[in-house]
Amino acid sequence: MKKLAIIGAVIIVLFAALIILTNISNQKQIEENLSKTENQANPYGKTDLDPATIDLLDNEHYQNIILPDELKEKIASGAPVVAYMFSSTCPHCMNFTPNLMPIADEMGIPIDQYNLLEFDEGWDEYEVVETPTLIYFKDGKEVDRIVGDYSNDLDGLKTFLNQVENPLKNNPYGKTSLQQSTIDLLDNENYQNIILPEDLEEKIASGDPVMAYMFSPECPHCLNFTPNLIPIANELGVEINQYNLLEFPQGWNDYKVEYTPTLIFFKDGKAVGEPLVGDYSDDPEKVKAFLEQAKQ
């Protein structure tokens, strides 16, 4: 009897220890997940994310996440919107998304990714029956939708996307997830010499003269200066390579930019002299003198 009591006590102790260890393990997992949501780019506006969502935070195919209020606002604006309804735990979504996003990028069509696992109100609001579901909205209402994994019917996917009025048809940025202020400048005649980071690096490395214009579409000084700069450069026959720091913020550090707008002249693979920093709309002669370097 005494032996049974001892055995029973041992079992209880082991049980208790197992529960404690499980709780510690769960708490550790929670802390690790919280750390991930704090240290990685988190577009969800909250930290209590499902582990499956956390695993996708740095996945290149899930970088166009949209929040419920943002999607409602975009649809209400009347602009063309393609909403991708997915779930982080949906295997069909995991298979389809890596096929969908490159095609959408190639066609220049922005895809707004709505995570139904995190925002389950979307099931009812958009009458979603299963995931993945692509819905095309225009003028504030649904135009069409396709349901399921179209990985084996890419022609059908392209047919669906072809009906979308493309707001990024003149898009030189190599990506569709652009800031609205950038989108607003896509058709602006003074912003047609956009250069990508890798292209600028290659041009500088060639040793040829390169005039780089560091700007941000949210910078009022840039918006005032650019329409004055570009005509002067065209008159002199100097090519201006326009580098958008809002879309490619690594340029701030790569080129030691402190303010926008900034003009930097490169030759023989390195910056020459001091950059021209600020809005020189009222001093066109100084702008001409700076640009003349590229002609020597």
Side-chain angles (χ1 to χ4, degrees):
M1 196 73 176
K2 190 175 180 180
K3 273 187 178 180
L4 288 175
I6 293 172
I7 293 172
V10 170
I11 291 174
I12 291 173
V13 170
L14 290 175
F15 224 17
L18 181 61
I19 292 173
I20 292 171
L21 289 173
T22 300
N23 287 339
I24 291 174
S25 176
N26 288 341
Q27 184 61 35
K28 185 178 180 182
Q29 184 64 47
I30 291 171
E31 291 174 356
E32 288 178 354
N33 288 346
L34 183 59
S35 176
K36 283 183 180 179
T37 60
E38 290 174 345
N39 295 330
Q40 293 178 340
N42 176 9
Y44 287 92
K46 60 180 183 176
T47 56
D48 57 330
L49 301 177
D50 188 278
T53 296
I54 293 173
D55 289 340
L56 295 178
L57 287 179
D58 59 357
N59 186 307
E60 64 177 332
H61 300 301
Y62 293 88
Q63 298 303 306
N64 293 354
I65 300 300
I66 193 166
L67 302 183
D69 289 344
E70 293 172 342
L71 181 57
K72 289 178 184 177
E73 186 177 334
K74 287 188 75 169
I75 293 171
S77 74
V81 177
V82 179
Y84 179 50
M85 304 296 177
F86 78 99
S87 169
S88 309
T89 56
C90 162
H92 304 293
C93 303
M94 297 302 104
N95 188 62
F96 181 43
T97 310
N99 292 293
L100 164 66
M101 298 310 292
I103 289 175
D105 283 342
E106 180 184 325
M107 296 177 69
I109 296 173
I111 303 292
D112 292 306
Q113 300 172 317
Y114 188 109
N115 191 335
L116 291 165
L117 181 64
E118 300 299 336
F119 307 112
D120 58 4
E121 63 268 31
W123 289 97
D124 292 331
E125 289 181 8
Y126 300 103
E127 299 178 351
V128 180
V129 177
E130 59 185 271
T131 54
T133 292
L134 271 172
I135 310 176
Y136 173 39
F137 298 91
K138 186 182 177 185
D139 298 326
K141 58 186 179 181
E142 180 177 336
V143 176
D144 196 8
R145 72 171 60 194
I146 57 174
V147 179
D149 177 2
Y150 271 67
S151 297
N152 293 324
D153 186 11
L154 297 182
D155 287 338
L157 171 62
K158 290 178 180 178
T159 297
F160 174 82
L161 293 177
N162 270 328
Q163 69 183 313
V164 179
E165 184 180 316
N166 187 356
L168 303 180
K169 58 184 177 181
N170 298 320
N171 177 13
Y173 286 92
K175 60 179 184 176
T176 56
S177 55
L178 300 176
Q179 296 294 321
Q180 186 59 48
S181 55
T182 294
I183 294 174
D184 291 342
L185 293 179
L186 288 179
D187 293 324
N188 188 306
E189 62 178 346
N190 295 307
Y191 293 88
Q192 297 303 306
N193 294 339
I194 300 299
I195 192 165
L196 303 183
E198 58 271 24
D199 293 336
L200 180 57
E201 290 175 8
E202 184 177 335
K203 290 184 78 168
I204 293 171
S206 73
D208 293 335
V210 177
M211 190 66 70
Y213 180 51
M214 305 295 174
F215 79 99
S216 167
E218 294 183 347
C219 162
H221 304 293
C222 302
L223 297 179
N224 188 62
F225 182 44
T226 309
N228 294 290
L229 165 66
I230 298 303
I232 293 174
N234 290 340
E235 181 184 331
L236 295 173
V238 175
E239 181 184 28
I240 302 293
N241 297 278
Q242 299 173 312
Y243 189 110
N244 189 333
L245 291 165
L246 181 64
E247 299 299 337
F248 307 113
Q250 64 268 35
W252 289 97
N253 291 326
D254 289 348
Y255 301 104
K256 298 180 174 59
V257 180
E258 296 184 359
Y259 305 98
T260 53
T262 291
L263 275 168
I264 310 175
F265 176 53
F266 296 90
K267 189 176 180 182
D268 298 327
K270 58 185 179 181
V272 178
E274 294 296 319
L276 188 67
V277 181
D279 177 3
Y280 279 82
S281 298
D282 294 333
D283 193 352
E285 292 305 316
K286 189 161 187 175
V287 176
K288 287 181 181 179
F290 189 86
L291 296 180
E292 286 281 359
Q293 300 177 88
K295 298 181 66 178
Q296 295 174 4

